[in-house]
Amino acid sequence: MGEKLFKPITINGMTLKNRIGFPPFLNMPAEEDCSINDQTVRWFEDRAKGGAGLVMTGAVVAGPPPDLEMLKLFGLTRVGLYDDKFIDGFARMAAAVHAHGAKFGVQLEGLGSVMSGFGPSLPPYPDAENPTSDMLKIHFDLDMPMVEISIEQIEEVKQCFADAAVRAKTAGCDCVELHCAHGGATLNCSFISPYYNRRTDQYGGSWENRLRLSTEILQKMRAAVGPDFPILVRIDSDQLLGDKGITLKDTIEHVVPAMEKAGADCLDVSQGDMLRAGQGVLIPLYYSRGCFMDYTAQVKKATKLPVIGVGRIVDLDMADQLLEEGKADMIYLGRQLTSDPDTPNKYLEGRADEIRKCIGCNVACGPCPINYEIYQQHIPLTPAESLKKILVIGGGVGGMEAARISALRGHEVTLMEKGEKLGGVVASLALDPLNAEFGNFIEYLQIQMTKLGVKVMLGKEATEANIEDLGPDAVIMATGASLKIPEMAQGKSGVLDHVEALEKRDEIGQRVVVWGLMYGAELAISLAMEGKEVTLIGEAGERTMASHASNARKDWIWRKLSDINYPRETPEAQRVDNPVVKLNVKVRDIGAEGVEIEDKQGDKRVLPYDTLV
Ligand SMILES: Cc1cc2nc3c(=O)[nH]c(=O)nc-3n(C[C@H](O)[C@H](O)[C@H](O)COP(=O)(O)O)c2cc1C
Ligand code: SF4
């Protein structure tokens, strides 16, 4: 496999050694003044070293200059290219990427309409009667002030993009990518989108008018960098806001021809809206791998330009197959090159089983919970000065990772696990089809245990005698946490703790009460999807549901289980009626009839159940 994926491709004179790219990731390391630092260089160099053919920056501020105080206030940093002073930094990054045979591109955006405070027109969206909240409101209760951008400011923005593209070229970068995707998060896409753009001047109304800002920027960039410098354009295949946003049909009929005409060399096809349909951009683990590639394939059919496909692709066999099927000409691997930047090289070298596949948790994607090296101060794995006999107690992911690092440093490692299998609680969570991707990390660590010669002892309790028998120089405790069933439920029939519910799924009856909003919300949805009649109960309010999870995961869960005013134009964004959710209730008793709950008004009712989790 990999025949297509590792075949070079040329985009307007830029030849890539393979068809794997690292897509734009906004959270690249940066200084407070928008300049880059050693970590930024390493962030890109690692991806190039790992074998990707193209490495793209995240959205870089083309200009106007951001309000640095405001960025600081929000604890944000951005990389800028709005001044000549940044050229040297980009030259450093380009050189570092080139040293590994990859090409380096710069994605250009303004600050994004939310952070810049400029939009095509004013909220509320989509209309005054049915305003929807954006993710800043939903997750941080922030109302960002927004003003309608003036014609004079539009002229300034256009010039900024052209100047920034020239700076990228001067710095030795190989291409630029104009960001016109992700809905309200970018100025360009919010102009293109009927959802956000209510202007009545030459930049609003018809498709031609709404596309005018992006196409004029593109033309100005082209005029500035000349005909031979590759300009990629990132577009949304579908904004995932139904007919109120950009649909796939709109993209094919209007966006693609306009970008072709304005001088794009390649279309990078994403989808969604970072403010209101983030599931298309960040695609959490609940979605199947490559789930939007059929949209991309439709766009590809409509253009002669090379097309980049992206979105929850973690497996290079699959990436190769997508190219083979003609769905795209190239694949961007974002989170996969974050959880394991060496993915392309490992695959090429026949070490695909050593690839640490992204689990789709969306915790931060730098830092990444399964790849400690990303975005941290670099702590190189040096050989240990004195080699020790190390005993790791506990075979969950923490224990296996400790064993892996110890073995890599040269220690003689034994891992002792009381149970009969490795993986601990995470392995149990991975039994749920919704969380199956968690299994990627277990699989990786298990293979590493074998490859690194870690002696694994299963079914062995760490008693004093057992530990003394082994005579370790050092012991690492990684026994994890244990679950506790509330006293009131202990010994009652049909009661399972969360792990038991995952491991003994076939023992779960038809009527299920899940008690606990945090982890319970996900399990409740999963059981309901399986056909069980589920009631989810808890003492707190709706925002406690899945509060342990990343916002991308929460959004998926909250859409299904709450009335939070998300846009709900697409089928999967609808609230479901199974599970039934009972918030702000206390459990008063558990008896033969069921679980007795009491709400804040003091009203009591009994929920009959076959299984209580
Ligand atoms: C942390 C993070 C930051 C991102 N920043 C950007 C960005 O600056 N510009 C952009 O166009 N897309 C951005 N994206 C979207 C990615 O480019 C990519 O389309 C998305 O992660 C899906 O691909 P993947 O499943 O391979 O990660 C970002 C995604 C993540 C997870
Ligand atoms: S943080 Fe999670 S989703 Fe992001 S790269 Fe790491 S494993 Fe993947």
Side-chain angles (χ1 to χ4, degrees), residues 357-394:
K357 288 201 189 97
C358 163
I359 58 175
C361 62
N362 284 90
V363 165
C365 307
C368 165
I370 66 168
N371 179 8
Y372 85 95
E373 287 184 275
I374 281 289
Y375 210 173
Q376 308 293 341
Q377 291 292 346
H378 194 33
I379 308 170
L381 275 186
T382 49
E385 278 168 22
S386 70
L387 296 185
K388 295 195 171 116
K389 274 176 85 173
I390 293 190
L391 171 64
V392 179
I393 301 175

mmCIF file of all heavy atoms in Angstrom, residues 357-394:
data_model
loop_
_atom_site.group_PDB
_atom_site.id
_atom_site.type_symbol
_atom_site.label_atom_id
_atom_site.label_comp_id
_atom_site.label_asym_id
_atom_site.label_seq_id
_atom_site.Cartn_x
_atom_site.Cartn_y
_atom_site.Cartn_z
ATOM 1 N N LYS A 357 -1.780 6.170 16.938
ATOM 2 C CA LYS A 357 -2.923 6.789 16.255
ATOM 3 C C LYS A 357 -3.682 7.735 17.182
ATOM 4 O O LYS A 357 -3.955 7.399 18.336
ATOM 5 C CB LYS A 357 -3.882 5.712 15.752
ATOM 6 C CG LYS A 357 -3.346 4.933 14.571
ATOM 7 C CD LYS A 357 -4.493 4.276 13.811
ATOM 8 C CE LYS A 357 -3.988 3.326 12.761
ATOM 9 N NZ LYS A 357 -3.962 1.940 13.199
ATOM 10 N N CYS A 358 -4.033 8.876 16.636
ATOM 11 C CA CYS A 358 -4.820 9.886 17.350
ATOM 12 C C CYS A 358 -6.125 9.271 17.848
ATOM 13 O O CYS A 358 -6.760 8.488 17.145
ATOM 14 C CB CYS A 358 -5.102 11.031 16.386
ATOM 15 S SG CYS A 358 -6.412 12.129 16.895
ATOM 16 N N ILE A 359 -6.515 9.635 19.074
ATOM 17 C CA ILE A 359 -7.734 9.055 19.645
ATOM 18 C C ILE A 359 -8.954 9.971 19.495
ATOM 19 O O ILE A 359 -10.042 9.643 19.965
ATOM 20 C CB ILE A 359 -7.528 8.671 21.129
ATOM 21 C CG1 ILE A 359 -7.099 9.883 21.967
ATOM 22 C CG2 ILE A 359 -6.503 7.549 21.253
ATOM 23 C CD1 ILE A 359 -7.005 9.596 23.469
ATOM 24 N N GLY A 360 -8.758 11.138 18.889
ATOM 25 C CA GLY A 360 -9.910 12.015 18.627
ATOM 26 C C GLY A 360 -10.509 12.653 19.866
ATOM 27 O O GLY A 360 -11.673 13.033 19.875
ATOM 28 N N CYS A 361 -9.682 12.807 20.913
ATOM 29 C CA CYS A 361 -10.211 13.357 22.169
ATOM 30 C C CYS A 361 -10.357 14.872 22.113
ATOM 31 O O CYS A 361 -11.117 15.457 22.871
ATOM 32 C CB CYS A 361 -9.290 12.981 23.322
ATOM 33 S SG CYS A 361 -7.618 13.660 23.162
ATOM 34 N N ASN A 362 -9.593 15.516 21.242
ATOM 35 C CA ASN A 362 -9.611 16.975 21.098
ATOM 36 C C ASN A 362 -9.288 17.713 22.389
ATOM 37 O O ASN A 362 -9.817 18.796 22.635
ATOM 38 C CB ASN A 362 -10.967 17.461 20.558
ATOM 39 C CG ASN A 362 -11.082 17.198 19.085
ATOM 40 O OD1 ASN A 362 -11.553 16.144 18.693
ATOM 41 N ND2 ASN A 362 -10.611 18.109 18.269
ATOM 42 N N VAL A 363 -8.461 17.126 23.213
ATOM 43 C CA VAL A 363 -8.125 17.779 24.474
ATOM 44 C C VAL A 363 -7.429 19.117 24.207
ATOM 45 O O VAL A 363 -7.792 20.133 24.762
ATOM 46 C CB VAL A 363 -7.260 16.862 25.354
ATOM 47 C CG1 VAL A 363 -6.615 17.638 26.479
ATOM 48 C CG2 VAL A 363 -8.124 15.752 25.924
ATOM 49 N N ALA A 364 -6.458 19.142 23.353
ATOM 50 C CA ALA A 364 -5.807 20.408 23.011
ATOM 51 C C ALA A 364 -5.020 20.292 21.710
ATOM 52 O O ALA A 364 -4.800 21.269 21.027
ATOM 53 C CB ALA A 364 -4.879 20.862 24.123
ATOM 54 N N CYS A 365 -4.599 19.086 21.378
ATOM 55 C CA CYS A 365 -3.845 18.837 20.144
ATOM 56 C C CYS A 365 -2.536 19.620 20.136
ATOM 57 O O CYS A 365 -2.144 20.204 19.126
ATOM 58 C CB CYS A 365 -4.693 19.134 18.920
ATOM 59 S SG CYS A 365 -6.266 18.268 18.966
ATOM 60 N N GLY A 366 -1.886 19.657 21.227
ATOM 61 C CA GLY A 366 -0.626 20.366 21.451
ATOM 62 C C GLY A 366 -0.868 21.297 22.620
ATOM 63 O O GLY A 366 -1.216 22.434 22.341
ATOM 64 N N PRO A 367 -0.715 20.800 23.896
ATOM 65 C CA PRO A 367 -0.295 19.454 24.250
ATOM 66 C C PRO A 367 -1.306 18.376 23.844
ATOM 67 O O PRO A 367 -2.480 18.657 23.642
ATOM 68 C CB PRO A 367 -0.179 19.500 25.774
ATOM 69 C CG PRO A 367 -0.995 20.658 26.208
ATOM 70 C CD PRO A 367 -1.027 21.626 25.081
ATOM 71 N N CYS A 368 -0.746 17.163 23.742
ATOM 72 C CA CYS A 368 -1.562 16.011 23.363
ATOM 73 C C CYS A 368 -1.374 14.953 24.441
ATOM 74 O O CYS A 368 -0.246 14.625 24.786
ATOM 75 C CB CYS A 368 -1.074 15.495 22.009
ATOM 76 S SG CYS A 368 -1.660 13.850 21.589
ATOM 77 N N PRO A 369 -2.462 14.424 24.990
ATOM 78 C CA PRO A 369 -2.315 13.492 26.112
ATOM 79 C C PRO A 369 -1.603 12.194 25.755
ATOM 80 O O PRO A 369 -1.149 11.485 26.646
ATOM 81 C CB PRO A 369 -3.759 13.213 26.540
ATOM 82 C CG PRO A 369 -4.590 13.568 25.375
ATOM 83 C CD PRO A 369 -3.864 14.660 24.655
ATOM 84 N N ILE A 370 -1.503 11.872 24.462
ATOM 85 C CA ILE A 370 -0.816 10.619 24.142
ATOM 86 C C ILE A 370 0.560 10.864 23.516
ATOM 87 O O ILE A 370 1.248 9.927 23.165
ATOM 88 C CB ILE A 370 -1.681 9.683 23.262
ATOM 89 C CG1 ILE A 370 -1.936 10.256 21.872
ATOM 90 C CG2 ILE A 370 -2.997 9.367 23.957
ATOM 91 C CD1 ILE A 370 -2.538 9.227 20.914
ATOM 92 N N ASN A 371 0.936 12.132 23.361
ATOM 93 C CA ASN A 371 2.280 12.431 22.860
ATOM 94 C C ASN A 371 2.851 13.581 23.673
ATOM 95 O O ASN A 371 2.616 14.748 23.363
ATOM 96 C CB ASN A 371 2.242 12.798 21.373
ATOM 97 C CG ASN A 371 3.628 13.143 20.847
ATOM 98 O OD1 ASN A 371 4.625 12.967 21.552
ATOM 99 N ND2 ASN A 371 3.684 13.639 19.632
ATOM 100 N N TYR A 372 3.596 13.237 24.711
ATOM 101 C CA TYR A 372 4.049 14.261 25.649
ATOM 102 C C TYR A 372 5.019 15.245 25.004
ATOM 103 O O TYR A 372 5.252 16.333 25.521
ATOM 104 C CB TYR A 372 4.697 13.606 26.883
ATOM 105 C CG TYR A 372 6.158 13.278 26.691
ATOM 106 C CD1 TYR A 372 7.145 14.166 27.123
ATOM 107 C CD2 TYR A 372 6.553 12.113 26.042
ATOM 108 C CE1 TYR A 372 8.485 13.890 26.918
ATOM 109 C CE2 TYR A 372 7.873 11.831 25.838
ATOM 110 C CZ TYR A 372 8.842 12.721 26.274
ATOM 111 O OH TYR A 372 10.150 12.459 26.056
ATOM 112 N N GLU A 373 5.589 14.881 23.859
ATOM 113 C CA GLU A 373 6.632 15.735 23.281
ATOM 114 C C GLU A 373 6.095 16.962 22.562
ATOM 115 O O GLU A 373 6.826 17.893 22.279
ATOM 116 C CB GLU A 373 7.468 14.924 22.286
ATOM 117 C CG GLU A 373 8.387 13.951 22.980
ATOM 118 C CD GLU A 373 9.260 13.232 21.982
ATOM 119 O OE1 GLU A 373 8.800 12.219 21.439
ATOM 120 O OE2 GLU A 373 10.373 13.704 21.741
ATOM 121 N N ILE A 374 4.800 16.919 22.218
ATOM 122 C CA ILE A 374 4.256 18.020 21.427
ATOM 123 C C ILE A 374 4.015 19.248 22.293
ATOM 124 O O ILE A 374 3.334 19.188 23.300
ATOM 125 C CB ILE A 374 2.946 17.554 20.735
ATOM 126 C CG1 ILE A 374 3.271 16.722 19.516
ATOM 127 C CG2 ILE A 374 2.031 18.693 20.371
ATOM 128 C CD1 ILE A 374 3.839 17.471 18.334
ATOM 129 N N TYR A 375 4.580 20.345 21.881
ATOM 130 C CA TYR A 375 4.346 21.672 22.460
ATOM 131 C C TYR A 375 4.944 21.842 23.859
ATOM 132 O O TYR A 375 4.722 22.835 24.501
ATOM 133 C CB TYR A 375 2.848 21.968 22.517
ATOM 134 C CG TYR A 375 2.480 23.425 22.409
ATOM 135 C CD1 TYR A 375 1.147 23.802 22.303
ATOM 136 C CD2 TYR A 375 3.434 24.434 22.428
ATOM 137 C CE1 TYR A 375 0.771 25.123 22.204
ATOM 138 C CE2 TYR A 375 3.070 25.758 22.324
ATOM 139 C CZ TYR A 375 1.737 26.102 22.225
ATOM 140 O OH TYR A 375 1.345 27.404 22.129
ATOM 141 N N GLN A 376 5.660 20.863 24.361
ATOM 142 C CA GLN A 376 6.292 21.050 25.663
ATOM 143 C C GLN A 376 7.722 21.503 25.428
ATOM 144 O O GLN A 376 8.263 21.354 24.350
ATOM 145 C CB GLN A 376 6.313 19.733 26.445
ATOM 146 C CG GLN A 376 4.973 19.058 26.561
ATOM 147 C CD GLN A 376 4.002 19.861 27.403
ATOM 148 O OE1 GLN A 376 4.416 20.714 28.170
ATOM 149 N NE2 GLN A 376 2.725 19.610 27.245
ATOM 150 N N GLN A 377 8.295 22.060 26.473
ATOM 151 C CA GLN A 377 9.731 22.302 26.400
ATOM 152 C C GLN A 377 10.347 20.947 26.085
ATOM 153 O O GLN A 377 9.978 19.949 26.692
ATOM 154 C CB GLN A 377 10.265 22.805 27.747
ATOM 155 C CG GLN A 377 9.805 24.197 28.118
ATOM 156 C CD GLN A 377 10.388 25.271 27.205
ATOM 157 O OE1 GLN A 377 11.328 25.016 26.464
ATOM 158 N NE2 GLN A 377 9.809 26.451 27.237
ATOM 159 N N HIS A 378 11.255 20.938 25.146
ATOM 160 C CA HIS A 378 11.764 19.658 24.688
ATOM 161 C C HIS A 378 12.579 18.968 25.786
ATOM 162 O O HIS A 378 13.560 19.511 26.284
ATOM 163 C CB HIS A 378 12.631 19.891 23.460
ATOM 164 C CG HIS A 378 12.933 18.632 22.719
ATOM 165 N ND1 HIS A 378 12.046 17.592 22.648
ATOM 166 C CD2 HIS A 378 14.016 18.253 22.028
ATOM 167 C CE1 HIS A 378 12.579 16.620 21.934
ATOM 168 N NE2 HIS A 378 13.774 16.997 21.549
ATOM 169 N N ILE A 379 12.148 17.777 26.181
ATOM 170 C CA ILE A 379 12.931 16.988 27.136
ATOM 171 C C ILE A 379 13.397 15.758 26.368
ATOM 172 O O ILE A 379 12.644 14.804 26.204
ATOM 173 C CB ILE A 379 12.081 16.546 28.347
ATOM 174 C CG1 ILE A 379 11.373 17.752 28.966
ATOM 175 C CG2 ILE A 379 12.942 15.822 29.381
ATOM 176 C CD1 ILE A 379 10.331 17.389 30.001
ATOM 177 N N PRO A 380 14.604 15.805 25.831
ATOM 178 C CA PRO A 380 15.031 14.677 25.003
ATOM 179 C C PRO A 380 15.138 13.394 25.820
ATOM 180 O O PRO A 380 15.476 13.432 27.008
ATOM 181 C CB PRO A 380 16.405 15.109 24.474
ATOM 182 C CG PRO A 380 16.803 16.300 25.253
ATOM 183 C CD PRO A 380 15.630 16.825 25.995
ATOM 184 N N LEU A 381 14.808 12.294 25.194
ATOM 185 C CA LEU A 381 14.905 11.005 25.877
ATOM 186 C C LEU A 381 16.348 10.524 25.808
ATOM 187 O O LEU A 381 16.751 9.879 24.853
ATOM 188 C CB LEU A 381 13.995 9.984 25.207
ATOM 189 C CG LEU A 381 12.547 9.964 25.654
ATOM 190 C CD1 LEU A 381 11.818 8.808 25.011
ATOM 191 C CD2 LEU A 381 12.445 9.868 27.167
ATOM 192 N N THR A 382 17.112 10.859 26.823
ATOM 193 C CA THR A 382 18.523 10.469 26.832
ATOM 194 C C THR A 382 18.666 9.100 27.496
ATOM 195 O O THR A 382 17.848 8.732 28.343
ATOM 196 C CB THR A 382 19.342 11.486 27.639
ATOM 197 O OG1 THR A 382 18.672 11.680 28.886
ATOM 198 C CG2 THR A 382 19.451 12.804 26.910
ATOM 199 N N PRO A 383 19.714 8.350 27.151
ATOM 200 C CA PRO A 383 19.950 7.088 27.861
ATOM 201 C C PRO A 383 20.180 7.377 29.350
ATOM 202 O O PRO A 383 20.808 8.373 29.698
ATOM 203 C CB PRO A 383 21.228 6.550 27.212
ATOM 204 C CG PRO A 383 21.369 7.291 25.926
ATOM 205 C CD PRO A 383 20.695 8.610 26.099
ATOM 206 N N ALA A 384 19.637 6.520 30.215
ATOM 207 C CA ALA A 384 19.787 6.740 31.660
ATOM 208 C C ALA A 384 21.250 6.618 32.058
ATOM 209 O O ALA A 384 21.992 5.805 31.486
ATOM 210 C CB ALA A 384 18.955 5.711 32.409
ATOM 211 N N GLU A 385 21.669 7.432 33.042
ATOM 212 C CA GLU A 385 23.077 7.387 33.463
ATOM 213 C C GLU A 385 23.391 6.092 34.206
ATOM 214 O O GLU A 385 24.426 5.479 34.009
ATOM 215 C CB GLU A 385 23.400 8.598 34.331
ATOM 216 C CG GLU A 385 23.685 9.817 33.466
ATOM 217 C CD GLU A 385 23.727 11.095 34.257
ATOM 218 O OE1 GLU A 385 23.953 11.037 35.485
ATOM 219 O OE2 GLU A 385 23.513 12.153 33.633
ATOM 220 N N SER A 386 22.474 5.687 35.102
ATOM 221 C CA SER A 386 22.710 4.380 35.738
ATOM 222 C C SER A 386 21.486 3.508 35.467
ATOM 223 O O SER A 386 20.345 3.919 35.704
ATOM 224 C CB SER A 386 22.946 4.556 37.238
ATOM 225 O OG SER A 386 21.767 4.936 37.862
ATOM 226 N N LEU A 387 21.743 2.348 34.930
ATOM 227 C CA LEU A 387 20.632 1.478 34.531
ATOM 228 C C LEU A 387 20.061 0.767 35.751
ATOM 229 O O LEU A 387 20.800 0.259 36.594
ATOM 230 C CB LEU A 387 21.111 0.477 33.487
ATOM 231 C CG LEU A 387 21.557 1.127 32.170
ATOM 232 C CD1 LEU A 387 21.897 0.074 31.129
ATOM 233 C CD2 LEU A 387 20.488 2.064 31.618
ATOM 234 N N LYS A 388 18.729 0.755 35.819
ATOM 235 C CA LYS A 388 18.074 0.199 37.010
ATOM 236 C C LYS A 388 17.080 -0.888 36.632
ATOM 237 O O LYS A 388 16.613 -0.948 35.493
ATOM 238 C CB LYS A 388 17.312 1.319 37.732
ATOM 239 C CG LYS A 388 18.199 2.401 38.301
ATOM 240 C CD LYS A 388 17.425 3.244 39.296
ATOM 241 C CE LYS A 388 18.365 4.171 40.028
ATOM 242 N NZ LYS A 388 18.119 5.568 39.791
ATOM 243 N N LYS A 389 16.762 -1.680 37.653
ATOM 244 C CA LYS A 389 15.642 -2.621 37.512
ATOM 245 C C LYS A 389 14.408 -1.885 37.994
ATOM 246 O O LYS A 389 14.325 -1.510 39.172
ATOM 247 C CB LYS A 389 15.882 -3.847 38.403
ATOM 248 C CG LYS A 389 16.711 -4.927 37.740
ATOM 249 C CD LYS A 389 16.986 -6.051 38.699
ATOM 250 C CE LYS A 389 15.849 -7.059 38.719
ATOM 251 N NZ LYS A 389 16.187 -8.245 39.543
ATOM 252 N N ILE A 390 13.485 -1.653 37.085
ATOM 253 C CA ILE A 390 12.311 -0.853 37.455
ATOM 254 C C ILE A 390 11.065 -1.723 37.445
ATOM 255 O O ILE A 390 10.844 -2.496 36.502
ATOM 256 C CB ILE A 390 12.150 0.341 36.487
ATOM 257 C CG1 ILE A 390 13.321 1.298 36.712
ATOM 258 C CG2 ILE A 390 10.808 1.042 36.667
ATOM 259 C CD1 ILE A 390 13.229 2.615 36.036
ATOM 260 N N LEU A 391 10.280 -1.578 38.492
ATOM 261 C CA LEU A 391 8.994 -2.280 38.538
ATOM 262 C C LEU A 391 7.880 -1.247 38.435
ATOM 263 O O LEU A 391 7.821 -0.296 39.213
ATOM 264 C CB LEU A 391 8.862 -3.053 39.862
ATOM 265 C CG LEU A 391 7.474 -3.651 40.122
ATOM 266 C CD1 LEU A 391 7.124 -4.717 39.083
ATOM 267 C CD2 LEU A 391 7.398 -4.243 41.532
ATOM 268 N N VAL A 392 7.029 -1.421 37.434
ATOM 269 C CA VAL A 392 5.858 -0.548 37.310
ATOM 270 C C VAL A 392 4.660 -1.340 37.809
ATOM 271 O O VAL A 392 4.405 -2.451 37.331
ATOM 272 C CB VAL A 392 5.630 -0.115 35.842
ATOM 273 C CG1 VAL A 392 4.398 0.769 35.737
ATOM 274 C CG2 VAL A 392 6.854 0.612 35.293
ATOM 275 N N ILE A 393 3.937 -0.766 38.762
ATOM 276 C CA ILE A 393 2.756 -1.467 39.292
ATOM 277 C C ILE A 393 1.510 -0.833 38.698
ATOM 278 O O ILE A 393 1.218 0.340 38.924
ATOM 279 C CB ILE A 393 2.723 -1.405 40.832
ATOM 280 C CG1 ILE A 393 3.993 -2.056 41.398
ATOM 281 C CG2 ILE A 393 1.473 -2.098 41.362
ATOM 282 C CD1 ILE A 393 4.118 -1.950 42.900
ATOM 283 N N GLY A 394 0.800 -1.606 37.899
ATOM 284 C CA GLY A 394 -0.415 -1.105 37.249
ATOM 285 C C GLY A 394 -0.232 -1.064 35.747
ATOM 286 O O GLY A 394 0.694 -0.428 35.242
#
